[in-house]
Amino acid sequence: MTTDIAKPGTPTKAVTKKVRRATKATKNRGAVLFFIAPFSILFALFYIVPILVAIYQSMLTVEREGTFGKPTEVFGGFVQYARVFQDDAFWSSILRVLSFGVVQVPIMLGLALLLALLLDSPLVKGKRFFRLAFFAPYAVPGVIAAVMWGFLYSPKLSPFTAITSEINFLGADLVLWAIANVVTWVFVGYNMIIIYSALLAIPSEIYEAARLDGASQARIAWSIKIPLITPAITLTAIFSIIGTLQLLAEPQVFKSFTSAVTSTFTPNLLIYSTASVPNVNLAAAFSVVLALFTFALSFTVLKFTQRKAD
Amino acid sequence: MSATTTRVKKNHGPRESLFSRAGAMLVMAICTFYFLVPIWWLFVAATKDRADFTTSAPLWFADFNLVENIVNLANYRDGLFFQWMLNSILYAGAGAAVATLFATMMGYALAKYDFRGRETLFNVVLGGVLVPATALALPLFLVFSQVGATNTFWSVFLPSIVSPFGVYLARIYATSSVPDELVEAARIDGSGEVRTFFTVATRLMTPAMVTIFLFQFVTIWNNFFLPLIMLRDEKLFPVTLGLYIWNSQVNQIPEIRAYVIIGALLSIIPLIIAFLSLQRFWRSGLGTGALK
């Protein structure tokens, strides 16, 4: 994680650097402040303060004097969190996005890896065209992609009515996987480009010897290329896991195509509908638990892949 | 492209078998179909009038009414759709530009200056990379409602000018592509620290800056949860939220469907232009982020 790519021709003189830096530190306080202040202030205001406010709000609970009394917010400790842990809708939405992720993320990243390896191999002609064609869906915002696929799944308006009039992609059984297909369609190209950039950065001398020994492209890909690009694959995996747990736009759009998508379909949909009840304190507690869950999961993946690499 | 061409020239190894080449091209063809057919369908559908949309073959043109459809869209409700496009361009364009500047300054400072708390600061920012934007939407709403600033332009704009991932990219890139010797030389020539950054460092960091800009532009353009939670006034909507609202009204107002389709097509054009015109920058920038 910490090895930087040093450009050839940039001598790294660790010793002189250290001496120079020590003098710089005192001299340039004003400049450093100028460089870091704008980002740090905004980061504090729009990342740290909201998180603190959400935690604070999640500790409050609403009390009323009598049935029609004025509601007052009082400190309730972990009352909201107790509700979160007893909320079946919340946990089944978490389970739903987890099962979504277990299937969709490997398919998406596997396809992205396969396409990146093919683009990097001498097997394929017209690379420039394919790269752009596969990346194009990334220019389609999730909401728009969902609207578009909603038409493509429609039993009457779809270009593939032969299939969609027979199979109901928007029914309760398949709608989760219909959404998985939309997400895959948008993000394969994006992940492919990240992996492909990592492949391009491998000097070809590294597998020149294997080629001369007659190793096939598949063998070179499996034994040499994939181990070298593991950091890039890890990065895409973490971003995909985060994206899965935060699924919102696509199911929100699908709600207007089918009643199979409820307002508690994914954790974020539940947070949104809870907040608009309005039960802001419970919604804040959901948000905090979801954020911690996301953080823990991506951190675990990071640690797991790092240990494997060692 | 240079990396690819040199690689091809170096292929002295065994010729690949016809079988594996045909297999590879077959995979590429199927994937091209999968990725491009929906976009092709959208383009074709946007050229049809209402009658042709339901009656003609979905993947081929009937009467070509693209211009009429755009004109109708522009006239519908006083051009509300184009107001949304303008809002999106403002949120994403100005937001990404400011985010890029601040992230680059921060990343440069983290890479080129030694100051107390530097690593702590960097680690806090890295933690921010793992906090997804959607998780912040509700907390941000709580903050903005405390100061009575929800349903304003700023409630969507201000949160989008913070890019922790941009800081991370900028730091890596500044470390590897802005030599300390050059900064020192500028210092000896009497250039101030801030001037050195704007005249020397930003020029060397251009690929990283373009990547940060594009990433942030796409993130803001696609942002949906934050405007959904913050905004009530439809004159402030970005295009994604506007089209979402229209799409959910299709059952009540059937003629709106045509506007959703033509609007969806128009809404992806700015991103395609941005990606194509800045291609050679972001491809090199992405590699930096992925390799570490």
Side-chain angles (χ1 to χ4, degrees):
Chain A
M1 288 293 288
T2 47
T3 32
D4 296 315
I5 349 167
K7 277 209 166 167
T10 321
T12 39
K13 295 173 192 157
V15 184
T16 48
K17 220 192 254 175
K18 224 170 202 173
V19 175
R20 211 179 287 158
R21 273 203 176 141
T23 54
K24 258 194 301 188
T26 42
K27 259 198 299 191
N28 299 313
R29 189 167 288 163
V32 170
L33 214 59
F34 172 83
F35 287 132
I36 67 172
F39 180 87
S40 306
I41 292 170
L42 289 167
F43 185 82
L45 280 178
F46 301 118
Y47 266 79
I48 295 173
V49 170
I51 291 171
L52 294 179
V53 168
I55 293 172
Y56 171 70
Q57 288 277 350
S58 71
M59 299 291 207
L60 299 179
T61 182
V62 173
E63 266 181 11
R64 284 164 197 278
E65 293 172 38
T67 322
F68 301 105
K70 199 170 176 276
T72 44
E73 283 185 326
V74 295
F75 185 79
F78 290 95
V79 174
Q80 303 294 355
Y81 289 94
R83 281 186 203 153
V84 170
F85 285 99
Q86 284 158 14
D87 193 312
D88 289 339
F90 180 69
W91 293 105
S92 62
S93 73
I94 292 256
L95 222 63
R96 190 174 290 116
V97 289
L98 281 182
S99 64
F100 178 104
V102 166
V103 176
Q104 189 265 340
V105 172
I107 291 179
M108 174 178 69
L109 295 185
L111 191 57
L113 177 63
L114 173 71
L115 294 179
L117 286 169
L118 283 174
L119 279 181
D120 191 54
S121 77
L123 298 170
V124 169
K125 300 264 176 299
K127 291 181 173 155
R128 208 181 142 77
F129 167 78
F130 287 124
R131 206 176 52 217
L132 280 179
F134 300 164
F135 189 65
Y138 185 62
V140 182
V143 177
I144 309 297
V147 169
M148 214 160 80
W149 278 94
F151 284 106
L152 296 176
Y153 289 137
S154 135
K156 290 211 183 72
L157 297 169
S158 170
F160 313 105
T161 39
I163 305 167
T164 55
S165 58
E166 294 298 319
I167 304 169
N168 181 11
F169 287 105
L170 300 173
D173 299 335
L174 286 180
V175 73
L176 186 66
W177 310 113
I179 294 172
N181 174 52
V182 178
V183 176
T184 307
W185 181 79
V186 173
F187 284 103
V188 164
Y190 167 77
N191 290 308
M192 176 196 80
I193 290 284
I194 291 182
I195 297 171
Y196 181 63
S197 314
L199 283 170
L200 282 186
I202 303 173
S204 56
E205 288 76 25
I206 289 183
Y207 36 81
E208 198 70 356
R211 290 187 59 80
L212 291 174
D213 285 346
S216 71
Q217 284 300 321
R219 184 66 210 264
I220 292 173
W222 183 256
S223 310
I224 302 174
K225 288 182 181 175
I226 291 180
L228 283 172
I229 55 167
T230 314
I233 299 174
T234 311
L235 188 78
T236 57
I238 289 173
F239 281 139
S240 306
I241 291 167
I242 295 175
T244 305
L245 281 164
Q246 299 294 325
L247 206 59
L248 172 91
E250 293 84 0
Q252 182 87 3
V253 171
F254 271 59
K255 269 175 76 181
S256 54
F257 296 125
T258 166
S259 56
V261 178
T262 60
S263 55
T264 60
F265 199 71
T266 72
N268 266 328
L269 276 179
L270 176 64
I271 290 171
Y272 177 62
S273 53
T274 312
S276 31
V277 166
N279 191 345
V280 170
N281 306 119
L282 182 59
F286 281 141
S287 285
V288 171
V289 173
L290 178 64
L292 287 177
F293 198 83
T294 311
F295 198 84
L297 201 62
S298 32
F299 195 74
T300 312
V301 170
L302 190 67
K303 284 289 151 217
F304 180 72
T305 44
Q306 268 182 348
R307 204 181 47 197
K308 240 178 137 181
D310 288 344
Chain B
M1 275 322 283
S2 62
T4 324
T5 35
T6 47
R7 177 116 21 123
V8 171
K9 274 183 209 147
K10 280 182 192 162
N11 277 340
H12 307 299
R15 297 275 300 160
E16 309 305 330
S17 76
L18 192 64
F19 180 72
S20 45
R21 268 188 297 168
M25 286 310 276
L26 185 69
V27 172
M28 297 314 250
I30 293 170
C31 287
T32 306
F33 186 81
Y34 172 64
F35 289 118
L36 290 189
V37 161
I39 297 176
W40 172 252
W41 170 86
L42 183 67
F43 176 63
V44 170
T47 66
K48 292 177 178 174
D49 61 24
R50 272 182 74 192
D52 284 337
F53 181 70
T54 41
T55 52
S56 63
L59 290 180
W60 198 247
F61 301 101
D63 288 337
F64 198 83
N65 287 315
L66 181 64
V67 178
E68 288 87 329
N69 288 342
I70 295 176
V71 172
N72 288 342
L73 178 66
N75 291 329
Y76 182 68
R77 301 193 51 200
D78 299 328
L80 185 58
F81 174 81
F82 288 94
Q83 173 76 49
W84 294 341
M85 284 290 272
L86 222 75
N87 291 346
S88 274
I89 289 170
L90 199 61
Y91 287 129
V98 178
T100 306
L101 176 67
F102 289 171
T104 311
M105 282 161 62
M106 181 79 179
Y108 175 78
L110 288 171
K112 291 292 152 200
Y113 296 94
D114 225 354
F115 53 91
R116 206 185 310 152
R118 181 177 73 159
E119 290 312 308
T120 320
L121 200 59
F122 184 60
N123 285 331
V124 171
V125 174
L126 266 191
V129 175
L130 292 183
V131 178
T134 38
L136 283 172
L138 179 72
L140 280 167
F141 176 81
L142 298 176
V143 170
F144 276 87
S145 60
Q146 299 276 326
V147 293
T150 58
N151 198 22
T152 58
F153 170 82
W154 300 106
S155 66
V156 174
F157 183 81
L158 286 177
S160 27
I161 59 177
V162 191
S163 170
F165 188 62
V167 172
Y168 166 74
L169 268 185
R171 182 189 187 173
I172 290 172
Y173 206 86
T175 305
S176 67
S177 70
V178 183
D180 283 339
E181 288 71 15
L182 206 63
V183 179
E184 193 58 31
R187 205 168 276 145
I188 289 164
D189 286 349
S191 164
E193 301 299 316
V194 174
R195 211 183 110 201
T196 307
F197 170 76
F198 281 106
T199 53
V200 181
T202 50
R203 220 164 280 174
L204 293 169
M205 291 173 72
T206 306
M209 291 174 74
V210 173
T211 311
I212 297 167
F213 177 84
L214 270 175
F215 258 112
Q216 200 59 14
F217 189 91
V218 174
T219 309
I220 304 172
W221 191 273
N222 291 353
N223 198 353
F224 174 67
F225 202 18
L226 186 67
L228 176 73
I229 280 192
M230 288 286 185
L231 301 177
R232 291 286 165 271
D233 178 5
E234 59 180 12
K235 289 221 154 53
L236 293 173
F237 284 3
V239 71
T240 46
L241 181 58
L243 285 176
Y244 159 75
I245 300 281
W246 275 3
N247 184 61
S248 58
Q249 293 167 350
V250 164
N251 290 331
Q252 292 88 17
I253 320 168
E255 76 263 23
I256 221 172
R257 189 169 63 198
Y259 301 133
V260 171
I261 288 172
I262 181 81
L265 179 70
L266 294 179
S267 76
I268 63 181
I269 290 174
L271 283 189
I272 290 182
I273 292 174
F275 274 122
L276 286 182
S277 55
L278 299 173
Q279 237 204 110
R280 68 193 174 90
F281 291 106
W282 59 262
R283 287 215 342 266
S284 55
L286 265 178
T288 327
L291 264 179
K292 281 171 266 175

